[in-house]
Amino acid sequence: MRRRETHTATRGNDVADTRTDTDVVIAGAGPTGLMLACELRLAGVDVTVVDKLAERSGESRAGGIHSRTLEVLDQRGVLDRFLAEGELQPVGHFSGLYLDFDEAESRHPYPLMILQSAIERLLEEWAGELGVRVRRSCEVTGIGQDRDGVTVRVDGPSGGVLRARYLVGCDGGRSTVRKLAGIGFPGTEATMTALIGDVELPDLPEDYVWVRRTPVGDYSAIAFEPGWYRVITSEYDRVPGRDEPPTFEQLRQSLIRVAGTDFGMHSPRWVSRFSDAARQADRYRAGRVLLAGDAAHIHFPAGGQGLNMGVQDAVNLGWKLAGVVHGHVPDSLLDTYHAERHPVAERVLHNTRAQSALVRPGPQTDALRDVFASLMVFDDVNQYLRHLLNALDIRYPVDGEHPLAGRRVPDADLAASGGAARVHELLHAGRPVLLDLCGSTEVAAAAKGWADRVDLVEARSEDEYWTVPAIGAVPAPAALLIRPDGHVAWAAATGPRDTTGLRTALTTWFGPALRG
């Protein structure tokens, strides 16, 4: 842990301190914050997580992990922990209309049904193994920045003032960090209200109910554990006060209004409320303060995209922040976090607004759903909607003409001397990988200047073609540079004689080459 003396200039939050306690403070120990903490620790960054809750809430608003997030966990070698506690589902849905998944697009094409409480527990266990410190009952109440770092005031039994290089707000839709940093949060207001809770339903005649629409709203009842159901009710043009606490009786009465019965509901574990309000931070970075997860974007939770997007935010940000902290790259690299992830959230807000409209009651929406369902039988339409949910088609604005540039790297089978059998196994350490599939002396020579930061792997592709979502089959590349988040920074179709593009990509993403 580094400590040095420096004075802090604050921005109206009455915070001042002289210590440097940690490289990065993360506000929020939910899935996004914990995943970011793990990414930073893999990169050797000192990190402290603070959370205002005394313990994990046990609430499970999210209930699934999509393909791209499953791939991310696989890239880090921890996926088996999650598969052991969840159940793969061969179908998904768009506003309650069923989608098919393509097994050729990913090793993990199907969503994993797993409660958020289990996801948080598994991530916190992994974070503990990596040496992450989580301080609970600690709430961020003030921040101040200067050219050397950020000072964070934390209230609570183990609170005080923390001095860090950077602060990342992963503290939810009502993010204190976002407000203190003066980051705008524009969007659309709620037009409906939904209640959610885990309860027992002894009189439900079916194993599950999936988005059943009625003249006054819709409801779902999904069995996540034996005897327990996730009940969700949605009522439109009923928007309660934002701070009105939800109750079990409200959930019961709502189910009666929507379904005509409460199915003998009893023994609630927890009850919560959400809406179709959709908002996004106008910038993901304000100096040394960054946002990720719900702190950066909120939306109607259709298709279970929120938790997944937050985890993918963390994986995009973590290696970039680590590179800046270690001094390998300038802090301008952090601007690519906003450039890459802001459009992804815009797309999610757009599709969840559409899903909210598609589920509203009424004969006009009935007709619209019928037309929509008839279109979804076409492969191209099904693929387009599927990719909105599973994020396998995301392409970041990376220079290069190769069809893989900017896209997530397929998990292709390999024959490698080091024993790795597939591409994603090469990313377990969270380091960039320069994968040479043609035995090019030029590639090896170009990589020498980055040997301290980039792993050079020589292998052979077992497949002549790789499947790329939204594109199809493309010839296996001769060489490619893979970022720690699994996206391709550079690729060559044939053995490159001119490595200028490779060296430019290495410098852009991982800093200048070592001298000598």
Side-chain angles (χ1 to χ4, degrees):
M1 182 182 296
R2 295 190 294 271
R3 293 182 183 273
R4 60 189 173 82
E5 295 296 315
T6 181
H7 291 281
T8 306
T10 67
R11 293 185 176 181
N13 291 305
D14 192 28
V15 178
D17 199 79
T18 58
R19 299 172 299 168
T20 299
D21 300 307
T22 187
D23 291 321
V24 179
V25 171
I26 298 173
T32 301
L34 291 170
M35 188 70 196
L36 178 59
C38 291
E39 291 291 291
L40 291 170
R41 284 301 302 139
L42 282 172
V45 173
D46 191 67
V47 58
T48 298
V49 180
V50 297
D51 194 284
K52 66 181 180 180
L53 297 179
E55 57 186 12
R56 289 193 302 271
S57 70
E59 297 182 1
S60 297
R61 292 174 175 82
I65 302 178
H66 283 297
S67 294
R68 182 57 190 140
T69 307
L70 292 174
E71 288 187 344
V72 163
L73 296 170
D74 192 13
Q75 288 170 189
R76 296 299 181 259
V78 296
L79 177 59
D80 286 349
R81 307 182 188 196
F82 296 83
L83 293 178
E85 298 208 21
E87 181 178 354
L88 293 170
Q89 296 294 322
V91 294
H93 75 97
F94 189 88
S95 194
L97 301 171
Y98 285 99
L99 288 170
D100 294 323
F101 291 92
D102 187 346
E103 293 184 354
E105 290 187 333
S106 173
R107 286 187 194 273
H108 312 289
Y110 303 129
L112 178 70
M113 303 302 289
I114 180 173
L115 295 175
Q116 180 174 332
S117 55
I119 295 170
E120 290 186 2
R121 173 173 50 79
L122 292 171
L123 286 174
E124 188 162 355
E125 289 173 357
W126 182 35
E129 294 167 13
L130 295 173
V132 174
R133 300 183 299 275
V134 179
R135 297 188 185 181
R136 294 198 171 272
S137 300
C138 289
E139 182 175 8
V140 174
T141 57
I143 61 176
Q145 298 189 57
D146 59 36
R147 66 180 184 179
D148 296 317
V150 59
T151 303
V152 185
R153 183 177 297 284
V154 179
D155 286 354
S158 58
V161 175
L162 288 171
R163 178 73 173 164
R165 301 278 300 281
Y166 290 89
L167 166 67
V168 185
C170 304
D171 50 341
R174 300 187 184 188
S175 171
T176 298
V177 171
R178 184 185 66 239
K179 296 171 184 175
L180 290 172
I183 297 175
F185 203 46
T188 52
E189 298 290 344
T191 66
M192 52 81 72
T193 185
L195 290 164
I196 180 173
D198 286 352
V199 301
E200 292 190 39
L201 289 180
D203 301 333
L204 189 72
E206 303 158 89
D207 289 337
Y208 69 89
V209 175
W210 196 258
V211 192
R212 183 159 301 168
R213 297 169 65 247
T214 74
V216 296
D218 58 82
Y219 69 99
S220 300
I222 308 163
F224 275 95
E225 297 177 2
W228 290 90
Y229 287 82
R230 166 71 50 80
V231 172
I232 306 171
T233 66
S234 299
E235 297 181 79
Y236 294 81
D237 304 315
R238 295 171 59 96
V239 183
R242 185 178 181 186
D243 296 321
E244 179 184 333
T247 66
F248 169 69
E249 182 60 22
Q250 287 176 339
L251 176 61
R252 195 179 72 82
Q253 291 296 329
S254 179
L255 186 58
I256 292 172
R257 286 192 297 271
V258 174
T261 176
D262 67 358
F263 299 109
M265 175 191 296
H266 66 86
S267 304
R269 289 183 176 179
W270 64 277
V271 177
S272 187
R273 175 183 285 115
F274 63 87
S275 74
D276 63 342
R279 297 185 177 278
Q280 184 177 18
D282 55 25
R283 49 188 172 137
Y284 283 12
R285 179 190 180 197
R288 292 180 175 271
V289 179
L290 300 107
L291 303 176
D294 288 354
H297 38 71
I298 62 168
H299 55 85
F300 184 58
Q305 300 172 79
L307 181 149
N308 290 268
M309 187 161 51
V311 169
Q312 292 164 39
D313 286 347
V315 175
N316 183 283
L317 174 60
W319 65 274
K320 297 174 181 177
L321 190 52
V324 173
V325 167
H326 290 315
H328 297 149
V329 291
D331 71 353
S332 59
L333 182 67
L334 296 177
D335 294 333
T336 68
Y337 169 61
H338 174 99
E340 293 180 351
R341 295 303 297 171
H342 195 274
V344 172
E346 282 184 319
R347 187 174 85 157
V348 170
L349 266 64
H350 193 63
N351 88 63
T352 54
R353 287 186 179 111
Q355 292 190 69
S356 177
L358 272 170
V359 80
R360 291 182 73 92
Q364 289 84 3
T365 307
D366 293 344
L368 179 61
R369 288 177 70 85
D370 287 344
V371 172
F372 213 84
S374 68
L375 293 173
M376 289 172 65
V377 302
F378 295 101
D379 290 342
D380 288 349
V381 176
N382 192 93
Q383 180 194 75
Y384 173 77
L385 296 175
R386 177 174 72 239
H387 289 164
L388 290 181
L389 303 184
N390 65 24
L392 290 176
D393 67 328
I394 296 298
R395 184 175 190 176
Y396 295 141
V398 170
D399 291 338
E401 297 181 358
H402 194 280
L404 284 175
R407 296 188 183 276
R408 120 289 182 221
V409 65
D411 190 22
D413 291 319
L414 299 174
S417 59
R422 50 194 180 85
V423 173
H424 287 184
E425 288 181 333
L426 302 175
L427 297 167
H428 284 185
R431 286 170 56 86
V433 172
L434 179 56
L435 180 55
D436 181 0
L437 297 172
C438 64
S440 167
T441 57
E442 289 83 359
V443 169
K448 288 183 178 180
W450 288 268
D452 62 324
R453 281 156 280 163
V454 179
D455 294 333
L456 174 64
V457 177
E458 295 184 356
R460 177 175 54 83
S461 175
E462 296 281 23
D463 301 304
E464 185 178 354
Y465 289 88
W466 290 5
T467 299
V468 181
I471 295 180
V474 301
L480 65 164
L481 177 62
I482 310 169
R483 306 186 327 184
D485 60 359
H487 282 255
V488 176
W490 168 88
T494 59
R497 293 184 178 180
D498 182 0
T499 58
T500 301
L502 171 58
R503 294 173 186 273
T504 298
L506 285 163
T507 303
T508 298
W509 298 107
F510 311 115
L514 291 173
R515 295 182 178 178

